[in-house]
Amino acid sequence: MRLIKERNGKLLEDLRELIYRDPVRITSYKMEKTAERIENADELRPDTWEEFDCGEIWGGDHEYFRFYTEITIPEEYAGCKVIYELKTGRERQWDATNPQFLAYVNGKICQGLDVNHREILLTENAQAGQTYRLLLSAYTGDRLFDLKLDSEIKVLESSVEKLYYDLRVPYDVARMLDTSSDEYICIQNAVTEALNRVDFRVSYS
């Protein structure tokens, strides 16, 4: 049973890697340091802001910034569900001091972002060549001087995501059970049978 558990865990990690595909990194933004609240995103003029290369760092102690970029959907994303993801380098660190963002898409508030909420659904059905105007109203948090702006767009494979969590949740539950219990054996057998039906030889086959 131990070998089966380890095998299932490895296959679940392989499955998790297939949830997203074809990532495209965003390399530059326009940036403005500010102390003003955004009243109307459409009235802002990002073309006057300074260039920000995504290899740079930014930050401060309770400072406010704005970042702007335009995202054009690639041809190969046509008809797909497209995600924008943002990382700052503070992932898996203390939540109370992490940077916070309010994201605007095409001039409208979309959602908040932080180290635990890093993704925005741009579209359920992408159209090649369509452009999205993304504005991030950013707050550094407490004494964070070495933040990154590491972002990308990618395709979300919803069926793979659903399968992964349908299997991952019972697998994690089984790990908390006595390995000799009927419940543990039943769950591991079910997860094993399900994973046996997945063809990992060719991705998305």
Side-chain angles (χ1 to χ4, degrees):
M1 259 307 185
R2 179 181 175 183
L3 291 177
I4 291 174
K5 183 190 77 171
E6 292 176 354
R7 169 191 179 271
N8 288 348
K10 176 61 172 64
L11 290 177
L12 283 171
E13 288 306 303
D14 292 344
L15 190 62
R16 182 168 65 88
E17 293 299 314
L18 297 173
I19 292 175
Y20 301 102
R21 63 175 174 83
D22 301 332
V24 175
R25 188 167 184 266
I26 298 171
T27 58
S28 64
Y29 288 78
K30 291 283 191 175
M31 181 186 77
E32 178 185 52
K33 188 174 181 180
T34 182
E36 298 177 356
R37 180 177 179 177
I38 296 176
E39 298 294 342
N40 186 345
D42 286 330
E43 292 180 354
L44 299 177
R45 294 293 174 263
D47 55 302
T48 64
W49 302 354
E50 63 181 282
E51 294 285 344
F52 180 84
D53 183 279
C54 290
E56 302 177 55
I57 61 172
W58 63 284
D61 183 28
H62 301 284
E63 300 283 0
Y64 293 86
F65 292 81
R66 295 170 184 163
F67 297 93
Y68 176 84
T69 194
E70 294 184 357
I71 299 169
T72 301
I73 299 298
E75 293 273 346
E76 60 270 24
Y77 283 17
C80 298
K81 185 178 289 188
V82 179
I83 297 293
Y84 165 88
E85 182 182 26
L86 174 66
K87 297 179 182 178
T88 62
R90 302 294 297 182
E91 290 71 34
R92 295 185 297 277
Q93 299 191 41
W94 192 28
D95 291 355
T97 61
N98 71 62
Q100 309 284 313
F101 299 84
L102 184 60
Y104 295 73
V105 176
N106 293 338
K108 298 186 181 301
I109 292 177
C110 178
Q111 69 178 68
L113 295 168
D114 58 24
V115 294
N116 296 310
H117 307 87
R118 303 192 298 267
E119 297 179 356
I120 295 172
L121 175 62
L122 287 181
T123 176
E124 294 266 5
N125 185 15
Q127 298 180 30
Q130 185 171 1
T131 297
Y132 293 86
R133 295 178 288 112
L134 177 67
L135 172 67
L136 301 173
S137 178
Y139 169 67
T140 64
D142 185 19
R143 300 180 63 80
L144 299 179
F145 298 96
D146 59 348
L147 298 173
K148 300 176 182 178
L149 205 67
D150 183 9
S151 58
E152 64 185 11
I153 57 172
K154 51 193 175 181
V155 171
L156 169 63
E157 292 288 349
S158 296
S159 60
V160 179
E161 180 185 47
K162 182 178 185 306
L163 176 62
Y164 171 74
Y165 285 108
D166 281 349
L167 298 178
R168 184 82 218 192
V169 171
Y171 175 82
D172 286 343
V173 168
R175 293 173 63 190
M176 295 185 286
L177 299 175
D178 182 339
T179 57
S180 63
S181 68
D182 291 342
E183 292 84 1
Y184 176 88
I185 295 170
C186 178
I187 291 173
Q188 287 293 4
N189 285 341
V191 171
T192 300
E193 177 62 22
L195 287 169
N196 286 344
R197 294 169 182 244
V198 179
D199 186 351
F200 285 95
R201 295 170 298 177
V202 180
S203 299
Y204 309 111
S205 64

